[in-house]
């Protein structure tokens, strides 16, 4: 994958049942690119798989990155490889960091994490604490043994509410959330049922006050894909995108050089500017206001509502 950097696994440790942490450093001890809370990297494994993981270490540590990997035996194989094959001393390649889940200014922050969804939120807590902001965290998981980073969260005292499902049942969001107001922002990361529950609980909150990040793409409602035309503004080329072909594949076949990673509209690598036309957004990144502007799209999954799209390619 173009644009990647080779790093070494300098530490591998158990963070919880089914969760391992990796510390990554440059083999020559060089400074790593800066990042902000909510950022993720593309991890390119020795077997060729590429997966996205949130950075959950100290953003002020210029020489190492930390990620946490949940083992998913029913997944696509990347996490199993990390758990079973990747060892300390191994070399991996990384792309990024990129941030589609940045921490915006607010008077108060309400963080909600489910399972491994704690990883992008942990640096946000540190940032909020450094800013002396008003914040609280609600953290759920199957059991305490499966919930990573509890020891680090304990340092925040009563600001953190830990609610394992086997002790407390499902998270009681209506009871925990305050009344909506313009000065508060909700940040949530976790499994789809949790994100859906947060969306329902925050339905009356002001637009733009709730931010979520998904590790798995939402299922697109059954729609009949159709073909359309894409024009590449830089080269002047035009290509037909068939009903069973992604824009990404079509423009690559037409000679455009576009980086991509996840192929699911999650990582943001393939973001492309839109000059004309109406995108049909199918990503899990843009919010409603960003979609309405129709000035960019993620071409690995999104399509076109109009007969023609003109892209910044």
């Amino acid at each position: 994958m173009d644009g990647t950097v080779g790093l070494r696994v300098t530490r591998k440790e158990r963070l919880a049942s089914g969760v391992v942490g990796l510390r990554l450093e440059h083999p020559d001890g060089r400074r790593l690119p800066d990042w902000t809370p909510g950022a993720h990297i593309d991890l390119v494994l020795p077997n060729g798989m590429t997966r996205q993981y949130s950075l959950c270490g100290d953003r002020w540590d210029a020489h190492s990155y930390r990620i946490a990997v949940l083992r998913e035996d029913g997944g696509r194989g990347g996490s199993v490889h990390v758990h079973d094959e990747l060892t300390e001393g191994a070399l991996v390649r990384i792309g990024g960091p990129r941030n589609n889940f940045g921490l915006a200014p607010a008077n108060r922050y309400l963080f909600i994490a489910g399972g491994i969804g704690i990883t992008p939120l942990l640096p946000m807590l540190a940032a909020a604490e450094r800013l002396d902001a008003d914040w609280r965290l609600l953290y759920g998981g199957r059991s305490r043994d499966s919930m990573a980073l509890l020891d680090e969260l304990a340092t925040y005292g009563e600001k953190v509410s830990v609610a394992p499902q086997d002790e407390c049942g499902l998270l009681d969001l209506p009871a925990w959330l305050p009344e909506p107001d313009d000065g508060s922002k909700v940040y949530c990361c976790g499994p789809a049922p949790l994100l859906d529950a947060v969306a329902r609980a925050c339905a009356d909150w002001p637009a733009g006050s709730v931010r979520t990040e998904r590790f798995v793409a939402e299922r697109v409602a059954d729609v009949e894909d159709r073909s359309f035309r894409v024009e590449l503004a830089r080269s002047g080329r035009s290509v037909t995108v068939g009903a069973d072909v992604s824009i990404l594949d079509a423009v690559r076949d037409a000679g455009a050089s576009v980086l991509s990673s996840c192929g699911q509209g999650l990582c943001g690598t393939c973001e492309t500017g839109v000059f004309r036309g109406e995108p049909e957004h199918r990503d899990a990144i843009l919010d409603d206001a960003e979609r309405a502007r129709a000035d960019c799209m993620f071409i690995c999954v999104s399509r076109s509502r109009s007969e023609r799209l003109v892209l910044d390619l």
Side-chain angles (χ1 to χ4, degrees):
M1 186 172 103
D2 293 338
T4 61
V5 176
L7 301 183
R8 189 178 302 280
V9 179
T10 58
R11 185 175 184 181
K12 181 179 181 180
E13 60 182 331
R14 180 186 184 275
L15 297 179
S17 175
V19 181
V20 296
L22 300 181
R23 185 172 300 277
L24 308 172
E25 301 178 12
H26 195 282
D28 298 332
R30 298 178 190 172
R31 182 186 180 99
L32 301 180
D34 293 336
W35 57 281
T36 53
H40 69 269
I41 58 172
D42 303 313
L43 183 68
V44 186
L45 298 169
N47 64 2
M49 294 181 180
T50 301
R51 300 292 182 268
Q52 290 72 46
Y53 296 106
S54 296
L55 291 170
C56 59
D58 179 4
R59 64 164 298 207
W60 302 107
D61 178 356
H63 295 89
S64 72
Y65 291 154
R66 181 176 69 162
I67 60 174
V69 180
L70 171 68
R71 184 186 182 99
E72 297 181 274
D73 289 314
R76 295 178 293 158
S79 66
V80 172
H81 182 89
V82 170
H83 277 251
D84 293 351
E85 306 293 335
L86 201 63
T87 61
E88 290 185 358
L91 288 173
V92 296
R93 299 196 68 80
I94 68 108
R98 284 185 297 278
N99 198 339
N100 305 315
F101 193 46
L103 188 66
N107 295 331
R108 175 173 58 172
Y109 296 103
L110 301 160
F111 300 106
I112 304 170
I116 199 64
I118 188 62
T119 52
L121 300 184
L122 190 66
M124 293 187 183
L125 308 186
E129 190 74 0
R130 183 182 291 270
L131 293 170
D132 198 26
D134 180 11
W135 67 269
R136 290 190 293 146
L137 167 71
L138 179 61
Y139 181 19
R142 293 190 310 276
S143 63
R144 288 182 185 272
D145 185 58
S146 71
M147 298 169 68
L149 306 167
L150 287 177
D151 55 340
E152 297 181 33
L153 293 171
T155 63
Y156 293 121
E158 294 182 356
K159 293 182 179 180
V160 174
S161 299
V162 176
Q165 186 173 346
D166 61 352
E167 298 176 21
C168 309
L170 296 176
L171 296 180
D172 189 353
L173 296 172
W176 185 81
L177 286 165
E179 290 296 314
D181 66 83
D182 290 330
S184 298
K185 290 192 181 297
V186 178
Y187 280 79
C188 178
C189 185
L194 173 62
L195 302 188
D196 294 340
V198 169
R200 291 192 297 270
C202 296
D204 295 331
W205 282 64
S209 60
V210 181
R211 291 290 309 274
T212 61
E213 181 171 63
R214 295 179 181 268
F215 289 142
V216 178
E218 288 186 275
R219 182 181 179 275
V220 177
D222 291 334
V223 292
E224 183 178 353
D225 289 334
R226 58 177 181 79
S227 62
F228 51 93
R229 297 289 293 174
V230 167
E231 294 182 17
L232 313 183
R234 298 185 203 175
S235 67
R237 295 179 182 176
S238 181
V239 61
T240 297
V241 180
D244 57 350
V245 178
S246 71
I247 298 177
L248 177 65
D249 288 340
V251 299
R252 279 179 167 173
D253 288 344
S257 177
V258 184
L259 291 178
S260 69
S261 179
C262 72
Q264 301 181 76
L266 294 170
C267 71
T269 307
C270 67
E271 181 176 359
T272 302
V274 178
F275 291 154
R276 293 185 185 85
E278 184 183 1
E280 181 183 286
H281 297 289
R282 298 185 181 182
D283 63 273
I285 299 172
L286 299 176
D287 61 27
D288 290 342
E290 291 166 332
R291 293 183 178 208
R293 286 201 298 268
D295 58 1
C296 71
M297 66 188 302
F298 299 95
I299 61 174
C300 65
V301 293
S302 296
R303 299 188 67 79
S304 179
R305 296 185 186 278
S306 54
E307 295 294 330
R308 181 178 70 115
L309 281 178
V310 181
L311 301 181
D312 184 18
L313 291 173

